Each structure stands twice: as structure tokens, then as C-alpha cells.
Amino acid sequence: QVQLVESGGGLVQAGGSLRLSCAASGRTFSRYAMAWFRQAPGKEREFVAHISSSGGNTYYAESGKGRFTISRDNAKNTVYLQMNSLKPEDTAVYYCAASVLGSYNYWGQGTQVTVSG
């Protein structure tokens, strides 16, 4: 079992940057692949970025390629999402998730990101 707590959201102007953090409890964090998802008002939750358990492999949705960077620090049980060149359409609640055997079984409570245009 792992518990996830996101932080770092807020209000930022278009073109600005934010770094989201997701702190995980437990001693097995390094075994989990991690991901970020987001959900905008009235829309379904969508995938943003994924990082393997070791951090050696990353994947991004097209919407974030070249602007977002996912990373992790297994010593700190934390995964990050660096978001640059933010756009109003990036406004959403951002969630981190932990993956076991290919399924995202654990989710955080989310952190709100609002980008003003």
C-alpha cells in the first residue's frame, strides 16, 4: 500500500512555470512506476506523463511534450512534474498515481493548477 500527496499547484500566468511534487509513503516507492494525470472541469481524466520505477524511461502525452518533465527521487520517495510555458488549457486538477503491474492502483487527492491567460 502506498499513499500519495501532491503539492505545488497554484495560479500562474500563461507562459509561466510550476513544479508539482508527489510525496509517497512507504518503503517500496522505488518499485512503483509513477505517472501524472489531470482532469479539467467537464472533461475526463487524461494522462500527462509516466516514469519507470528506476527513472530510466519516461513517456509524455503530446500536449506536454517539450514543456513538461517528469522526474523522481527514490531516496526522497517523491516524483515531480516540472511544467514550463504553461497555457490556459493546462488548467486542471493534477493527480499523481502509482502503478503496480501495469495498473494505476494508487492515487493522490490532486492539486489544482490554474493558468490565467
Side-chain angles (χ1 to χ4, degrees):
Q1 185 103 12
V2 62
Q3 293 183 325
L4 305 172
V5 179
E6 302 96 335
S7 61
L11 174 64
V12 64
Q13 290 186 338
S17 298
L18 282 175
R19 188 176 82 153
L20 306 183
S21 298
C22 173
S25 64
R27 295 175 290 179
T28 59
F29 176 73
S30 62
R31 298 180 184 177
Y32 295 96
M34 299 295 296
W36 287 94
F37 289 77
R38 68 186 183 185
Q39 187 167 19
K43 296 187 177 181
E44 294 186 354
R45 189 175 296 186
E46 65 175 6
F47 169 78
V48 175
H50 169 100
I51 188 166
S52 62
S53 57
S54 67
N57 292 296
T58 56
Y59 306 93
Y60 298 91
E62 285 295 326
S63 59
K65 282 184 179 178
R67 300 188 299 126
F68 295 177
T69 303
I70 189 171
S71 62
R72 67 189 296 161
D73 185 338
N74 285 345
K76 295 182 178 180
N77 281 14
T78 302
V79 63
Y80 305 97
L81 184 69
Q82 177 68 43
M83 304 187 293
N84 299 326
S85 302
L86 283 161
K87 306 173 183 180
E89 51 264 43
D90 294 319
T91 295
V93 177
Y94 283 71
Y95 300 89
C96 68
S99 172
V100 178
L101 299 177
S103 297
Y104 292 106
N105 301 88
Y106 304 103
W107 294 82
Q109 83 290 348
T111 186
Q112 176 70 47
V113 171
T114 303
V115 184
S116 64

